[in-house]
Amino acid sequence: QVQLQESGPGLVKPSETLSLTCTVSGGSISSYYWSWIRQPPGKGLEWIGYIYYSGSTNYNPSLKSRVTISVDTSKNQFSLKLSSVTAADTAVYYCARRGYSYEAHYYYYYMDVWGKGTTVTVSS
Amino acid sequence: IQLTQSPSSLSASVGDRVTITCRASQGISSYLAWYQQKPGKAPKLLIYAASTLQSGVPSRFSGSGSGTDFTLTISSLQPEDFATYYCQQLNSYLWTFGQGTKVEIK
């Protein structure tokens, strides 16, 4: 079964760039959308953005100016870069797959596979 | 599209029937999913397409609604159901989550 694993530095200095990678195992990165979601301490889930295996992307407008998501199909990985970080970017970062189901002539979507999450702290 | 969940938290006893609502700021047809999250864990998909139970999820969970108003119902709350629940819309090309509903033990 498909599994996701986030990796990257757990501590980032203010104003620097946060970089995380999600490795997909047990299946191919092809034919799916892949997403990053984060959760600040004690708060709810925030969608950051997604990438299709072909490279097309879409980002949360509130983060769009600082976010880049990329994919490396040869390594079965996709990555997140968030620039100019502040303490407000301290969070658990999750990667997830957008699954789909075809029912009654429509495609329905959902996040069906999640990584365990990685904690990133922004501090000097 | 904004999603507003209510209540933000609730206290209930084992065996209670629990209902959580999620309201979208504009119509999203049935493009709504529900997730359960326990402390220190990743969210787990419960329901998609507003009412379709994900494989392996107990039948005490059910979802309903379309357009702007949706509900998640737990017919008989079990000890393992104490968690935070989130709705998510995937109708538009910008995805959003509700703010969450924490279900606590009474």
Side-chain angles (χ1 to χ4, degrees):
Chain A
Q1 79 206 45
V2 175
Q3 293 185 311
L4 306 181
Q5 178 66 59
E6 305 90 349
S7 59
L11 181 64
V12 181
K13 289 182 168 55
S15 80
E16 295 190 344
T17 296
L18 177 160
S19 296
L20 296 174
T21 295
C22 183
T23 300
V24 180
S25 60
S28 174
I29 203 167
S30 299
S31 303
Y32 284 96
Y33 283 83
W34 304 90
S35 187
W36 287 98
I37 300 103
R38 71 180 183 179
Q39 186 170 36
K43 296 188 177 181
L45 301 169
E46 179 180 31
W47 171 70
I48 298 172
Y50 63 68
I51 189 165
Y52 193 44
Y53 78 101
S54 62
S56 60
T57 56
N58 216 346
Y59 303 131
N60 186 324
S62 69
L63 299 169
K64 188 174 183 177
S65 64
R66 300 193 292 130
V67 172
T68 302
I69 298 176
S70 58
V71 65
D72 186 337
T73 54
S74 68
K75 295 182 178 179
N76 240 28
Q77 294 177 334
F78 62 105
S79 298
L80 168 71
K81 290 189 186 299
L82 181 65
S83 64
S84 305
V85 297
T86 69
D89 295 310
T90 293
V92 176
Y93 286 76
Y94 295 100
C95 58
R97 183 181 79 172
R98 190 196 78 171
Y100 59 90
S101 178
Y102 186 67
E103 300 178 13
H105 309 295
Y106 291 97
Y107 279 98
Y108 292 96
Y109 308 110
Y110 41 81
M111 317 291 281
D112 62 343
V113 182
W114 294 69
K116 293 183 178 180
T118 187
T119 299
V120 178
T121 302
V122 178
S123 175
S124 55
Chain B
I1 299 174
Q2 292 184 332
L3 298 179
T4 303
Q5 288 184 233
S6 60
S8 295
S9 65
L10 64 90
S11 296
S13 301
V14 172
D16 284 354
R17 182 182 181 89
V18 169
T19 298
I20 298 168
T21 65
C22 179
R23 175 163 288 176
S25 59
Q26 62 188 73
I28 58 171
S29 185
S30 297
Y31 293 98
L32 190 97
W34 288 97
Y35 303 86
Q36 176 194 67
Q37 186 181 34
K38 296 183 179 179
K41 300 293 187 182
K44 172 189 172 184
L45 175 67
L46 298 176
I47 286 169
Y48 64 91
S51 61
T52 301
L53 205 63
Q54 171 71 341
S55 176
V57 174
S59 59
R60 62 180 180 273
F61 290 93
S62 64
S64 65
S66 68
T68 59
D69 294 310
F70 303 86
T71 60
L72 172 69
T73 300
I74 309 172
S75 60
S76 178
L77 199 65
Q78 298 302 299
E80 60 269 31
D81 300 336
F82 292 96
T84 300
Y85 294 85
Y86 294 92
C87 57
Q88 183 198 22
Q89 68 82 19
L90 300 96
N91 176 63
S92 70
Y93 61 92
L94 301 176
W95 306 341
T96 47
F97 289 94
Q99 82 278 16
T101 296
K102 187 173 184 179
V103 177
E104 299 176 299
I105 301 174
K106 190 179 233 179

mmCIF file of all heavy atoms in Angstrom, chain B residues 1 8 21 27 30 38 43 45 51 60 70-71 80 91 98 106:
data_model
loop_
_atom_site.group_PDB
_atom_site.id
_atom_site.type_symbol
_atom_site.label_atom_id
_atom_site.label_comp_id
_atom_site.label_asym_id
_atom_site.label_seq_id
_atom_site.Cartn_x
_atom_site.Cartn_y
_atom_site.Cartn_z
ATOM 1 N N ILE B 1 -13.553 29.387 -0.976
ATOM 2 C CA ILE B 1 -14.736 28.853 -0.315
ATOM 3 C C ILE B 1 -14.377 28.608 1.159
ATOM 4 O O ILE B 1 -13.423 27.905 1.468
ATOM 5 C CB ILE B 1 -15.225 27.543 -0.961
ATOM 6 C CG1 ILE B 1 -15.593 27.786 -2.415
ATOM 7 C CG2 ILE B 1 -16.394 26.969 -0.176
ATOM 8 C CD1 ILE B 1 -15.944 26.519 -3.185
ATOM 9 N N SER B 8 -17.677 24.161 17.831
ATOM 10 C CA SER B 8 -16.221 24.064 17.833
ATOM 11 C C SER B 8 -15.761 22.934 18.738
ATOM 12 O O SER B 8 -14.704 22.333 18.513
ATOM 13 C CB SER B 8 -15.609 25.382 18.312
ATOM 14 O OG SER B 8 -15.908 26.412 17.403
ATOM 15 N N THR B 21 -21.912 19.814 12.221
ATOM 16 C CA THR B 21 -22.317 20.424 10.962
ATOM 17 C C THR B 21 -21.169 21.204 10.323
ATOM 18 O O THR B 21 -20.254 21.681 11.010
ATOM 19 C CB THR B 21 -23.517 21.353 11.148
ATOM 20 O OG1 THR B 21 -23.106 22.455 11.968
ATOM 21 C CG2 THR B 21 -24.665 20.640 11.825
ATOM 22 N N GLY B 27 -22.083 27.014 -2.750
ATOM 23 C CA GLY B 27 -22.412 25.632 -3.051
ATOM 24 C C GLY B 27 -21.222 24.834 -3.542
ATOM 25 O O GLY B 27 -20.438 25.294 -4.371
ATOM 26 N N SER B 30 -21.528 17.891 -3.774
ATOM 27 C CA SER B 30 -21.232 16.887 -2.737
ATOM 28 C C SER B 30 -19.735 16.695 -2.552
ATOM 29 O O SER B 30 -19.289 15.656 -2.054
ATOM 30 C CB SER B 30 -21.873 15.546 -3.115
ATOM 31 O OG SER B 30 -23.265 15.653 -3.155
ATOM 32 N N LYS B 38 -6.659 12.296 15.807
ATOM 33 C CA LYS B 38 -6.334 12.096 17.208
ATOM 34 C C LYS B 38 -5.011 12.780 17.518
ATOM 35 O O LYS B 38 -4.199 12.986 16.611
ATOM 36 C CB LYS B 38 -6.294 10.599 17.516
ATOM 37 C CG LYS B 38 -7.649 9.936 17.322
ATOM 38 C CD LYS B 38 -7.652 8.468 17.680
ATOM 39 C CE LYS B 38 -9.045 7.884 17.493
ATOM 40 N NZ LYS B 38 -9.098 6.436 17.809
ATOM 41 N N PRO B 43 -4.481 13.171 10.169
ATOM 42 C CA PRO B 43 -5.912 12.970 9.939
ATOM 43 C C PRO B 43 -6.171 11.665 9.205
ATOM 44 O O PRO B 43 -5.345 11.193 8.415
ATOM 45 C CB PRO B 43 -6.297 14.174 9.086
ATOM 46 C CG PRO B 43 -5.282 15.217 9.415
ATOM 47 C CD PRO B 43 -4.013 14.447 9.623
ATOM 48 N N LEU B 45 -9.144 9.736 6.834
ATOM 49 C CA LEU B 45 -10.352 9.934 6.038
ATOM 50 C C LEU B 45 -11.485 9.055 6.548
ATOM 51 O O LEU B 45 -11.326 7.839 6.699
ATOM 52 C CB LEU B 45 -10.062 9.598 4.573
ATOM 53 C CG LEU B 45 -11.246 9.642 3.611
ATOM 54 C CD1 LEU B 45 -11.772 11.065 3.451
ATOM 55 C CD2 LEU B 45 -10.848 9.062 2.250
ATOM 56 N N SER B 51 -21.199 11.635 1.677
ATOM 57 C CA SER B 51 -21.922 10.560 2.362
ATOM 58 C C SER B 51 -21.354 9.166 2.135
ATOM 59 O O SER B 51 -21.919 8.189 2.652
ATOM 60 C CB SER B 51 -23.399 10.560 1.932
ATOM 61 O OG SER B 51 -23.502 10.349 0.543
ATOM 62 N N ARG B 60 -21.085 3.235 12.191
ATOM 63 C CA ARG B 60 -21.719 4.214 13.084
ATOM 64 C C ARG B 60 -21.455 5.647 12.604
ATOM 65 O O ARG B 60 -22.116 6.577 13.042
ATOM 66 C CB ARG B 60 -21.243 4.049 14.529
ATOM 67 C CG ARG B 60 -19.763 4.263 14.745
ATOM 68 C CD ARG B 60 -19.413 4.061 16.221
ATOM 69 N NE ARG B 60 -17.988 4.257 16.478
ATOM 70 C CZ ARG B 60 -17.084 3.306 16.368
ATOM 71 N NH1 ARG B 60 -17.470 2.087 16.008
ATOM 72 N NH2 ARG B 60 -15.808 3.552 16.625
ATOM 73 N N PHE B 70 -23.872 20.439 5.442
ATOM 74 C CA PHE B 70 -23.453 19.044 5.577
ATOM 75 C C PHE B 70 -23.423 18.658 7.053
ATOM 76 O O PHE B 70 -23.228 19.515 7.923
ATOM 77 C CB PHE B 70 -22.055 18.854 4.976
ATOM 78 C CG PHE B 70 -21.968 19.261 3.536
ATOM 79 C CD1 PHE B 70 -21.720 20.570 3.179
ATOM 80 C CD2 PHE B 70 -22.165 18.320 2.525
ATOM 81 C CE1 PHE B 70 -21.662 20.950 1.847
ATOM 82 C CE2 PHE B 70 -22.105 18.684 1.195
ATOM 83 C CZ PHE B 70 -21.858 20.010 0.851
ATOM 84 N N THR B 71 -23.608 17.363 7.302
ATOM 85 C CA THR B 71 -23.522 16.871 8.670
ATOM 86 C C THR B 71 -22.724 15.579 8.719
ATOM 87 O O THR B 71 -22.756 14.774 7.791
ATOM 88 C CB THR B 71 -24.902 16.616 9.288
ATOM 89 O OG1 THR B 71 -25.577 15.636 8.497
ATOM 90 C CG2 THR B 71 -25.727 17.866 9.365
ATOM 91 N N GLU B 80 -13.106 5.218 21.368
ATOM 92 C CA GLU B 80 -12.071 5.548 20.377
ATOM 93 C C GLU B 80 -12.470 6.691 19.445
ATOM 94 O O GLU B 80 -11.668 7.118 18.609
ATOM 95 C CB GLU B 80 -11.706 4.310 19.546
ATOM 96 C CG GLU B 80 -12.841 3.688 18.768
ATOM 97 C CD GLU B 80 -13.573 2.598 19.523
ATOM 98 O OE1 GLU B 80 -13.643 2.668 20.777
ATOM 99 O OE2 GLU B 80 -14.081 1.657 18.849
ATOM 100 N N ASN B 91 -14.054 21.032 -4.015
ATOM 101 C CA ASN B 91 -14.876 21.375 -5.172
ATOM 102 C C ASN B 91 -14.136 22.299 -6.121
ATOM 103 O O ASN B 91 -14.141 22.093 -7.331
ATOM 104 C CB ASN B 91 -16.157 22.055 -4.689
ATOM 105 C CG ASN B 91 -17.012 22.534 -5.848
ATOM 106 O OD1 ASN B 91 -17.477 21.730 -6.641
ATOM 107 N ND2 ASN B 91 -17.217 23.832 -5.953
ATOM 108 N N GLY B 98 -12.525 23.013 7.303
ATOM 109 C CA GLY B 98 -13.218 23.664 8.396
ATOM 110 C C GLY B 98 -12.263 23.824 9.565
ATOM 111 O O GLY B 98 -11.168 23.250 9.575
ATOM 112 N N LYS B 106 -17.608 13.456 28.269
ATOM 113 C CA LYS B 106 -18.391 14.151 29.305
ATOM 114 C C LYS B 106 -18.132 13.509 30.664
ATOM 115 O O LYS B 106 -18.094 12.275 30.754
ATOM 116 C CB LYS B 106 -19.879 14.043 28.973
ATOM 117 C CG LYS B 106 -20.793 14.917 29.813
ATOM 118 C CD LYS B 106 -22.221 14.731 29.370
ATOM 119 C CE LYS B 106 -22.866 16.041 29.052
ATOM 120 N NZ LYS B 106 -24.270 15.864 28.593
#
